[in-house]
Amino acid sequence: MDSVSQGKRLGAVKLSRVTFRATNRDDNPTTLKEPVAPLTSRGPLSLNPPPSEGASKTTEIKRPAPAISMKGLLAAQRITRELKNRAFLRRKSRARTPNRKPTTIINEQVPAGSANPTQRFPYSQAKELIQEFLTAKLRNITYDPSTSADLTKNLCEDIKKMVRRVTPPRYKLICNMAIGSKNREDILMTSQCLWDSYSDNVTSCSYQNATMFCVVSVYAVYFE
């Protein structure tokens, strides 16, 4: 009896322990509040950072922009201007291309009845030579009626020899010169010839100093 009763008591003790633990976990009000209390004390979650942390972040993000130098600004403006000019020229060339007509080279036609020299008289080059010659010869000359005739003849011969060096072959040269006194008077000189306007040509120069004036005309006539 003692062993049976002792066994029952042990079994009762085991059951009491199991039931004690179960009732202790469910019925004890303190055990229920302990896990809930930390959650209620924390409060709702907030996504916004604390004021001190947000202020530090805003100060770090809002940094002053680097200052632009005047030299860099001028360089940028110059580059922009060059690019605009290139684009304008490119558009202009493209616009002209479709409307461009083919260029036809027409050789100079020899008039009927005119001579056709291989080289024509270089009147502009002859004019430069005559102008330099008159300036060098008459710069320090004073007008004298007694010596004007000889001076005119000598200057004409020198001018023909000088112009002959640049004249093509088969051209004849005629030199006409007039020298007069410069006494506050105006003089008008003209000449008229009947010749071949295609092959023949003429050049003229004038010079004056304090006492005299000089007018020279050189005619180049082509001879076949």
Side-chain angles (χ1 to χ4, degrees):
M1 290 293 293
D2 294 334
S3 60
V4 174
S5 59
Q6 188 177 359
K8 291 181 179 179
R9 290 178 182 175
L10 291 174
V13 171
K14 289 181 181 179
L15 292 174
S16 62
R17 287 181 182 176
V18 173
T19 55
F20 175 76
R21 291 178 181 174
T23 55
N24 189 15
R25 186 177 295 177
D26 295 335
D27 298 332
N28 193 357
T30 58
T31 58
L32 295 175
K33 293 181 180 180
E34 288 179 358
V36 178
L39 294 175
T40 55
S41 62
R42 290 181 182 179
L45 295 175
S46 60
L47 300 177
N48 296 328
S52 60
E53 184 180 359
S56 63
K57 287 184 178 181
T58 53
T59 53
E60 292 179 357
I61 293 172
K62 296 181 179 180
R63 294 179 181 177
I68 301 175
S69 62
M70 184 59 67
K71 186 176 181 181
L73 183 60
L74 293 176
Q77 291 179 354
R78 185 174 64 255
I79 293 172
T80 305
R81 195 181 305 111
E82 290 179 358
L83 292 176
K84 288 183 178 180
N85 293 335
R86 291 180 182 177
F88 174 75
L89 294 176
R90 193 180 296 111
R91 290 195 300 269
K92 191 174 181 181
S93 62
R94 289 177 181 176
R96 287 182 177 180
T97 302
N99 298 329
R100 183 179 298 174
K101 296 181 180 180
T103 304
T104 304
I105 300 175
I106 302 175
N107 296 327
E108 188 176 7
Q109 301 295 327
V110 180
S114 297
N116 187 14
T118 56
Q119 293 180 352
R120 303 181 68 179
F121 178 71
Y123 62 92
S124 59
Q125 187 178 0
K127 184 175 182 178
E128 293 178 0
L129 294 175
I130 295 171
Q131 192 67 48
E132 293 177 358
F133 177 79
L134 294 178
T135 303
K137 290 291 184 178
L138 302 177
R139 182 182 303 167
N140 300 322
I141 299 297
T142 303
Y143 177 73
D144 187 0
S146 60
T147 60
S148 296
D150 294 335
L151 180 63
T152 301
K153 183 179 179 179
N154 295 331
L155 291 178
C156 285
E157 293 296 330
D158 294 340
I159 288 173
K160 285 193 294 183
K161 292 179 182 179
M162 179 182 62
V163 176
R164 177 62 65 183
R165 300 174 185 173
V166 296
T167 304
R170 304 185 66 84
Y171 271 98
K172 291 184 177 182
L173 299 178
I174 302 170
C175 184
N176 184 17
M177 179 180 291
I179 295 177
S181 176
K182 187 179 178 183
N183 291 326
R184 299 180 182 178
E185 296 178 356
D186 295 336
I187 298 176
L188 179 62
M189 298 183 63
T190 61
S191 63
Q192 188 175 3
C193 300
L194 181 62
W195 62 5
D196 189 350
S197 60
Y198 179 79
S199 59
D200 302 337
N201 212 325
V202 63
T203 182
S204 61
C205 298
S206 62
Y207 177 81
Q208 60 181 350
N209 57 19
T211 60
M212 63 181 295
F213 70 90
C214 177
V215 179
V216 181
S217 298
V218 177
Y219 303 90
V221 182
Y222 185 72
F223 179 74
E224 288 184 330

